[in-house]
Amino acid sequence: MSTFDLNSINSALSDSGRPISGVDFSGKSLKLNSADDAQPIVDAINGCADLQYLTLTGNTLGVSAAEAIAKALEHHPELKIARFSDMFTGRMKTEIPPALAALGDGMIKAGARLSVLDLSDNAFGPIGVEGLAKLLQSDVCSELEELRLNNNGLGITGGRLLAKALAARPRKLKIFIAGRNRLENDGATALANVFKNMGTLEELAMPQNGIYHVGISALSAACRQNRRLARLNLNDNTVGAKGAQAIAEALPNLKNLKSINFGDCLLKSKGASALAKAFKENSILLESLDLSHNEIGRQACMEVVDAITALPDSSERLSRVVLAGNSLGDAGNKKTMRDKLGASAELSDGEGSDDEYVTDSEEDGSNSEDDDDDDQAGRESEDSATEDAQHLDTSADFAKNITLNTSGVEEVETDVGRFLSQPTLDNLDRLGPNAHDVIDAHLQSIKDPASLIQAYVEATFSVAGLSEQSPLASDVANKLFPILVQRAGEQHAAAWILANTVLSALGLIKSEDKTRRIRWALGPCYNSLSRVIDAPYFPNALRDTIRFFASSKKNTIPFAECLCR
């Protein structure tokens, strides 16, 4: 097996005298589609009497393989560490939620109590959090200390859903990692509210999330309540002067803070000066500080250096101070900084380079501190169509609130156009016995792939909604489903669009477009789909996804039961 992180495993296992054992398949690049493909992992799990850790990083799991592994996990309540990062490469997003849910169910049935859960580098988006929610809210994660969700494409919606799942019960997380997730202000604020009630964080890393001072201020308020915080990484967010001031105000509560990474955070001189003042006044014993590429003037840079070297032990304590990419002044200024910082100084980007970085003004402290730079109201607080998916509607009257986009259909005054706008039996009868061919010919003129798929889904369910009222409607619906799959398959990267549109049409997730309402009866649509969902032409991933979401809704949508296994 590949090597594993011994230090992480040791720290996660409460019994220091316990021999470390587990299964590690990291980096094998295995493509596991079926239960047979997963058999080597299943055998290794079954053969491990004391499965304290399971690492599957760097392989790719399909739903069937995940279910087989989950079955093996049901017999291992001793599991403490689950490293499932980079585990769905090449998979459609529709496969990930049911695969995650299966693995979670296996651990839930086992009664495991995880200390570490790593799901980084799995681009499952907001919809993936739905597959995780049950696990995160279960007893399996009741003792979780380390949660890594780096580079998952969560977006604002995913951040909110994650915060909701974590807030379901008291938490004692020590490490939370969620970089490169497009959380923005709303997602960061939702998570900050969870952290505020936690009080146990020792490391918080949320780099590259498009967070501005509103979200930074919320995180700063949360940090105040986490007095053990030792490492804070907000690299490549727009902290700005306002955010820096909020963090400076939190520093009196953070006496254990050892490492700060605010590189590429547009601090400018004003923000850097606020931090320097707080470092000095609160005797913060930093060991590592990264303020690189922040458009800081030379005087403010010197203030930072003076503040962190004020105490006599700084030369022994400081291991890394990065100020590259700022205006450091002339060679004399840099020499002074190097003398004070010693070996910890990193004042230029290239090793051995002494390049001069200048800001807009050579005058110390005269950098433009335009508050508009970090007051990006237009980037805040709204879910947008760029989100990967919308979360499930848990209300009982879900269908009343769901609308679908028909912008791609040119509803001219023809028999087909009349049926698409008014899906009645009379209008369907006008299309004749070959209505499926007539509808297909009409819709093929749509050029935009998303609009074309949307139109075919709407047309198919408009007919399916009438299938229990007429043999003709039932026959046409049966013939439209394979046409729908075929036309969607002809479009580039259309699998996710098709899944999202079908789930919306069935009322299983919210639609992104709120301009129109569902115009078909859902009960007959479910029954009609259940008759074709196991057909050979029906994509396996789409089938699994529909059944996964139907299963989660069967208590609120009685007719969803017909699609469940």
Side-chain angles (χ1 to χ4, degrees):
M1 299 297 175
S2 302
T3 59
F4 50 81
D5 186 346
L6 183 60
N7 291 331
S8 176
I9 291 177
N10 272 321
S11 63
L13 298 176
S14 56
D15 183 1
S16 58
R18 184 180 182 184
I20 298 170
S21 61
V23 170
D24 186 348
F25 272 79
S26 60
K28 298 293 185 181
S29 300
L30 301 176
K31 188 172 183 179
L32 310 174
N33 296 320
S34 65
D36 288 343
D37 295 336
Q39 197 59 46
I41 296 176
V42 171
D43 290 342
I45 293 172
N46 290 336
C48 185
D50 189 17
L51 186 76
Q52 298 169 52
Y53 64 87
L54 174 62
T55 303
L56 299 178
T57 299
N59 300 291
T60 175
L61 272 68
V63 178
S64 297
E67 289 173 343
I69 293 170
K71 194 71 176 174
L73 289 178
E74 292 179 8
H75 306 290
H76 291 279
E78 72 278 10
L79 184 65
K80 291 289 185 184
I81 300 170
R83 295 205 177 278
F84 296 158
S85 59
D86 190 18
M87 207 171 65
F88 296 104
T89 301
R91 299 288 170 183
M92 293 186 293
K93 289 180 182 178
T94 52
E95 296 180 87
I96 300 176
L100 288 174
L103 292 170
D105 286 344
M107 291 183 281
I108 290 172
K109 290 180 181 178
R113 295 292 184 273
L114 291 180
S115 296
V116 177
L117 177 60
D118 186 354
L119 289 161
S120 299
D121 300 314
N122 293 309
F124 48 63
I127 199 171
V129 184
E130 296 289 357
L132 283 176
K134 182 180 178 182
L135 174 64
L136 291 173
Q137 296 176 68
S138 72
D139 289 340
V140 173
C141 292
S142 61
E143 301 173 10
L144 196 64
E145 295 183 355
E146 181 177 333
L147 179 59
R148 295 178 177 268
L149 295 168
N150 204 60
N151 191 29
N152 295 128
L154 298 180
I156 296 171
T157 298
R160 288 171 172 166
L161 289 172
L162 177 60
K164 182 178 179 181
L166 292 175
R169 63 191 309 159
R171 298 286 169 176
K172 295 183 180 180
L173 283 179
K174 292 182 179 180
I175 298 174
F176 180 83
I177 312 292
R180 300 181 65 188
N181 273 301
R182 300 182 292 111
L183 294 171
E184 301 184 27
N185 284 336
D186 278 9
T189 300
L191 288 166
N193 291 332
V194 178
F195 302 152
K196 188 181 295 186
N197 297 322
M198 203 175 290
T200 54
L201 281 177
E202 297 177 8
E203 179 176 355
L204 176 61
M206 298 173 66
Q208 297 183 346
N209 269 296
I211 308 171
Y212 289 77
H213 74 86
V214 174
I216 299 296
S217 296
L219 290 170
S220 299
C223 287
R224 290 188 188 191
Q225 307 304 318
N226 289 266
R227 293 173 177 266
R228 303 176 194 171
L229 191 68
R231 296 175 295 279
L232 178 60
N233 181 355
L234 297 175
N235 184 286
D236 203 9
N237 291 291
T238 307
V239 173
K242 291 182 179 180
Q245 184 59 46
I247 291 167
E249 292 170 1
L251 287 178
N253 288 31
L254 302 177
K255 298 296 186 181
N256 290 324
L257 197 58
K258 305 298 182 188
S259 174
I260 293 177
N261 186 342
F262 291 167
D264 286 299
C265 284
L266 204 63
L267 292 174
K268 297 191 176 181
S269 295
K270 187 175 179 181
S273 294
L275 290 175
K277 184 173 184 289
F279 292 156
K280 192 168 187 177
E281 290 180 350
N282 295 286
S283 299
I284 302 298
L285 302 177
L286 288 175
E287 297 174 1
S288 175
L289 175 66
D290 187 341
L291 298 183
S292 60
H293 301 281
N294 270 296
E295 300 184 21
I296 305 172
R298 57 181 175 266
Q299 180 177 321
C301 284
M302 190 64 76
E303 289 174 12
V304 170
V305 172
D306 288 342
I308 62 178
T309 59
L311 297 176
D313 68 335
S314 64
S315 59
E316 292 81 22
R317 175 169 33 86
L318 290 170
S319 61
R320 186 169 186 257
V321 179
V322 190
L323 292 172
N326 297 297
S327 180
L328 304 180
D330 58 21
N333 279 33
K334 291 182 209 175
K335 183 179 185 305
T336 300
M337 293 180 188
R338 290 187 187 280
D339 288 344
K340 291 187 175 186
L341 294 172
S344 68
E346 294 186 23
L347 305 183
S348 58
D349 289 319
E351 184 177 354
S353 171
D354 208 27
D355 294 339
E356 180 76 14
Y357 294 90
V358 296
T359 56
D360 292 337
S361 172
E362 283 293 330
E363 295 300 321
D364 295 344
S366 66
N367 300 54
S368 173
E369 296 294 346
D370 188 350
D371 287 340
D372 289 341
D373 285 345
D374 60 323
D375 192 12
Q376 302 289 330
R379 304 194 188 193
E380 299 170 12
S381 306
E382 291 186 9
D383 291 342
S384 67
T386 60
E387 294 290 358
D388 292 315
Q390 296 294 330
H391 61 280
L392 295 179
D393 181 7
T394 56
S395 62
D397 57 346
F398 57 94
K400 297 179 181 177
N401 300 319
I402 298 173
T403 57
L404 296 176
N405 178 20
T406 57
S407 59
V409 184
E410 184 183 358
E411 294 184 358
V412 296
E413 195 59 26
T414 63
D415 287 341
V416 178
R418 188 178 299 110
F419 172 75
L420 294 176
S421 61
Q422 300 177 44
T424 65
L425 277 178
D426 286 343
N427 287 336
L428 180 63
D429 287 339
R430 289 191 180 96
L431 302 182
N434 295 318
H436 56 287
D437 288 331
V438 177
I439 292 172
D440 182 36
H442 178 85
L443 297 181
Q444 284 191 64
S445 62
I446 302 172
K447 302 301 182 185
D448 176 64
S451 297
L452 182 143
I453 292 171
Q454 185 82 49
Y456 271 93
V457 169
E458 290 194 0
T460 301
F461 284 113
S462 291
V463 176
L466 304 171
S467 60
E468 294 180 2
Q469 302 179 41
S470 158
L472 172 64
S474 179
D475 179 62
V476 173
N478 289 340
K479 293 176 179 177
L480 274 176
F481 275 110
I483 293 174
L484 163 63
V485 170
Q486 179 185 347
R487 299 303 178 218
E490 293 168 355
Q491 308 303 310
H492 177 66
W496 172 240
I497 299 174
L498 176 61
N500 193 55
T501 308
V502 170
L503 292 174
S504 299
L506 292 171
L508 294 174
I509 65 173
K510 288 182 178 179
S511 171
E512 294 176 359
D513 191 296
K514 308 300 178 186
T515 60
R516 307 190 74 174
R517 298 183 181 277
I518 286 179
R519 304 187 305 279
W520 44 85
L522 287 175
C525 288
Y526 274 82
N527 291 330
S528 183
L529 180 58
S530 69
R531 291 192 290 270
V532 300
I533 197 169
D534 288 311
Y537 67 80
F538 211 90
N540 292 333
L542 179 60
R543 179 188 304 120
D544 291 340
T545 300
I546 292 172
R547 283 178 165 156
F548 170 73
F549 281 95
S551 177
S552 70
K553 282 286 192 176
K554 62 184 178 183
N555 293 328
T556 55
I557 309 177
F559 32 81
E561 182 71 39
C562 68
L563 292 178
C564 302
R565 289 192 179 96

